[in-house]
Amino acid sequence: QLQASGGGLVQAGGSLRLSCAASGRTFGRRVMGWFRQAPGKEREFVSLIGWSGDNTDYADSVKGRFTISRDNAKNTVYLQMNSLKPEDTAVYYCAASWSLTRQTMQYNFWGQGTQVTVSS
């Protein structure tokens, strides 16, 4: 019940905004996270946001470039990605958890992923 969208091909230095729409049952009062997985690599944490939006966390690799936000009225979480780099290329997944955590295993609902490709 998580649907990620907004991925695409962009040149280095460009921007994309990812969206993740959820059913109310999946979204309600949950922490929402973004993760990514590049070919041949493990899935890694990118960012998370708490229910109220007051608590956010970012991986060091994206801090200052990515911004996470959520619209609880629309059951949607966003990831604004600026100053994109080729190393940001990956499939991006949104996920839901009851905990403010970076740990993948603590997220029990996952979207299908959206491909982000950054060309140099």
Side-chain angles (χ1 to χ4, degrees):
Q1 288 86 6
L2 295 175
Q3 185 76 25
S5 62
L9 173 64
V10 64
Q11 288 188 331
S15 298
L16 285 173
R17 189 174 86 149
L18 305 183
S19 299
C20 176
S23 66
R25 194 172 182 179
T26 305
F27 198 78
R29 306 198 71 81
R30 279 188 168 90
V31 174
M32 298 299 297
W34 285 98
F35 295 77
R36 66 187 182 187
Q37 187 166 19
K41 295 188 176 182
E42 292 187 355
R43 192 170 297 188
E44 65 175 2
F45 167 79
V46 175
S47 183
L48 66 81
I49 186 167
W51 164 250
S52 68
D54 291 341
N55 292 305
T56 59
D57 189 19
Y58 297 92
D60 288 345
S61 59
V62 307
K63 200 172 293 184
R65 300 188 297 121
F66 291 10
T67 303
I68 192 170
S69 62
R70 66 192 292 163
D71 185 336
N72 290 338
K74 296 182 179 179
N75 291 341
T76 302
V77 62
Y78 306 97
L79 186 68
Q80 177 67 44
M81 305 186 297
N82 298 328
S83 302
L84 282 161
K85 304 175 181 180
E87 50 264 43
D88 294 319
T89 295
V91 177
Y92 283 70
Y93 299 89
C94 60
S97 173
W98 288 114
S99 302
L100 279 168
T101 178
R102 295 185 173 195
Q103 296 182 6
T104 307
M105 66 179 64
Q106 296 296 325
Y107 287 78
N108 47 8
F109 290 99
W110 290 84
Q112 86 289 0
T114 184
Q115 176 70 47
V116 171
T117 303
V118 184
S119 62
S120 57

